[in-house]
Amino acid sequence: MNIHEYQTKELLRSYKIPVPDGRMAHSANQALVVAEQLGGDGWVVKAQIHAGGRGKAGGVQLANSLDEVQQYAENLIGTRLVTKQTGEAGRMVNRVLVEQIHQIETEYYLGLVIDRASQRITLIASAAGGMEIEEVAAATPEKVINEVVDPAVGLQDFQCRKVAAGIGLSGKQIVKAARIMKSLYRCFRDKDALMVEINPLVTTKDGQFLALDAKMSFDGNALFRQPEITDQRDFDEEDPKEIEASGHDLNYIALDGSVGCIVNGAGLAMATMDAISLYGGRPANFLDVGGGASPEKIANAFRIVLEDPNVKVLLLNIYAGINRCDWIAEGIVKAMADQVIDVPIVVRLAGTNLEAGRAILADSGLDFIHADRLSDAAEKSVKAVNGGAV
């Protein structure tokens, strides 16, 4: 789960990490009022969407007058901002963040992630602030510092000092930066975060640090113990199909392909998508029905996947263990009886009660494409998309 920049900064502020003075606005008039209350002679107006690259796309505007604040907010709110992370459709801007402009001396990058290789929280820092860390790592990997945190003792002072010195800080700056790193780690740990990024972390002309831009994402499986984070969820920023799927206990992620996938188990779902790609197709989604999938759950999965107009064929790949093939078959029959389905359906079943499941499908008289193996199912799905004989 992601939250907006203004929400991230409020959270960082609660951990005594310095952030610019600013407030969120839902309208141009409200943005004007915020700027008047903040005072000063310069402001930044920032579109609030769950995507990076806002500055390059015109979503971050520097205003030198109150009239400009109002104009920039009016230009942004209610429009779709297209960045390289949003896709061509872009994201609707429903709010902006208005902050005072600060005189920047130097920019740095600071972040925390869970590193899959070490299975540890890892502190990442770079003197190349303001740039995307992936680009920096690819072009100049020597500019990126990674410090792995031992979960038994947490982030230590000596690690913070080493990282601070590594990005070119010295003297009192090292002490201040180390304090920010420790606070950022506590915030990350306390809130079950998956990623937090301050880019850029800047030093100002008067020698102070500021988290000029920040974003944060959280472990969805831990939200039950983070109600204050859950309350900040912005459903407008999420795919409606993903929201509906979560209400039916389905794990769904929309993709941009044409083969709709209904699978049980995240590992099998990933293998299914890889197989589709191997045969020249593109998956339209990730959908894991999980264990104990009832006929109703399967029917809901059909409906959600088929709401995507890009889906040209539906592949159902079930290896039944906790699930049962007869449950799945009943769900397929229910879905095909209750819904108008005008795309080919490829079904591959294996595991518990396989013969009973196949018998239910055979007796139904419904039109579907049978597959015995994953490779067979993927190949037939791609052929069906391309209009070839299956």
Side-chain angles (χ1 to χ4, degrees):
M1 177 190 141
N2 298 317
I3 60 175
H4 288 291
E5 176 192 357
Y6 75 92
Q7 295 167 321
T8 300
K9 286 180 172 177
E10 285 299 318
L11 186 55
L12 297 184
R13 183 181 283 114
S14 70
Y15 279 80
K16 302 188 184 308
I17 296 172
V19 298
D21 291 334
R23 285 191 291 282
M24 182 268 294
H26 284 286
S27 68
N29 288 337
Q30 190 177 2
L32 174 62
V33 171
V34 169
E36 289 175 336
Q37 293 174 343
L38 291 174
D41 54 8
W43 303 266
V44 58
V45 181
K46 310 176 77 173
Q48 297 297 284
I49 60 171
H50 289 174
R54 294 170 298 162
K56 296 178 182 178
V60 178
Q61 298 288 340
L62 301 180
N64 296 313
S65 69
L66 293 172
D67 287 341
E68 286 187 351
V69 170
Q70 189 173 25
Q71 186 61 55
Y72 290 147
E74 187 172 345
N75 292 344
L76 288 170
I77 296 173
T79 63
R80 302 192 75 86
L81 186 65
V82 179
T83 78
K84 66 179 182 179
Q85 292 187 12
T86 64
E88 295 180 358
R91 292 279 179 86
M92 179 63 69
V93 180
N94 295 313
R95 55 184 70 79
V96 295
L97 174 64
V98 181
E99 294 179 331
Q100 287 181 327
I101 288 180
H102 292 270
Q103 298 300 313
I104 298 172
E105 183 75 29
T106 314
E107 297 184 354
Y108 304 94
Y109 175 95
L110 183 63
L112 287 164
V113 297
I114 297 177
D115 177 54
R116 301 299 179 184
S118 64
Q119 300 183 21
R120 305 281 178 90
I121 296 173
T122 300
L123 176 66
I124 303 174
S126 175
M131 299 178 60
E132 294 184 16
I133 196 65
E134 295 85 0
E135 295 179 1
V136 177
T140 52
E142 69 278 3
K143 292 184 178 180
V144 180
I145 298 174
N146 295 278
E147 188 69 21
V148 177
V149 181
D150 186 335
V153 296
L155 183 63
Q156 297 296 291
D157 291 338
F158 78 88
Q159 293 178 296
C160 296
R161 292 193 296 269
K162 180 174 74 172
V163 170
I167 60 175
L169 299 175
S170 61
K172 293 182 179 179
Q173 285 186 323
I174 290 181
V175 177
K176 292 178 180 179
R179 191 178 301 122
I180 291 173
M181 292 177 196
K182 293 288 290 289
S183 296
L184 193 65
Y185 173 76
R186 285 195 298 273
C187 179
F188 186 97
R189 179 200 60 198
D190 293 350
K191 302 303 180 183
D192 291 303
L194 293 176
M195 182 277 297
V196 60
E197 180 181 74
I198 300 176
N199 188 27
L201 174 69
V202 304
T203 55
T204 60
K205 296 292 186 180
D206 57 0
Q208 301 303 311
F209 280 97
L210 276 179
L212 209 61
D213 197 356
K215 60 182 178 181
M216 203 165 183
S217 63
F218 303 87
D219 183 356
N221 294 317
L223 291 178
F224 70 94
R225 59 178 177 238
Q226 301 290 350
E228 74 284 0
I229 299 298
T230 307
D231 289 344
Q232 299 187 63
R233 185 176 181 182
D234 185 353
F235 291 102
D236 290 337
E237 291 287 327
E238 301 181 31
D239 189 308
K241 296 189 294 296
E242 295 181 12
I243 297 171
E244 184 183 2
S246 65
H248 295 292
D249 197 24
L250 298 167
N251 296 312
Y252 174 92
I253 299 173
L255 301 172
D256 60 0
S258 55
V259 180
C261 303
I262 299 176
V263 191
N264 68 316
L268 184 58
M270 297 297 289
T272 301
M273 293 192 293
D274 285 345
I276 291 169
S277 299
L278 180 65
Y279 283 95
R282 292 178 63 84
N285 64 275
F286 169 103
L287 192 149
D288 173 15
V289 298
S294 65
E296 291 75 20
K297 197 172 184 181
I298 295 298
N300 284 324
F302 265 71
R303 179 171 48 77
I304 290 168
V305 171
L306 292 173
E307 285 177 357
D308 183 349
N310 294 321
V311 171
K312 306 304 180 186
V313 61
L314 195 153
L315 168 57
L316 190 140
N317 182 25
I318 301 292
Y319 193 94
I322 298 175
N323 281 316
R324 292 174 7 201
C325 289
D326 53 332
W327 286 349
I328 303 301
E330 290 174 7
I332 296 171
V333 172
K334 177 177 175 59
M336 296 183 72
D338 295 346
Q339 303 173 40
V340 176
I341 299 176
D342 55 3
V343 300
I345 296 178
V346 179
V347 178
R348 184 257 181 164
L349 299 179
T352 307
N353 288 3
L354 173 59
E355 295 306 321
R358 286 180 173 174
I360 290 171
L361 291 177
D363 293 343
S364 71
L366 297 171
D367 185 22
F368 65 92
I369 301 166
H370 171 75
D372 288 315
R373 303 177 309 279
L374 170 57
S375 58
D376 183 34
E379 184 176 15
K380 288 179 175 178
S381 298
V382 174
K383 284 184 178 179
V385 169
N386 296 327
V390 178

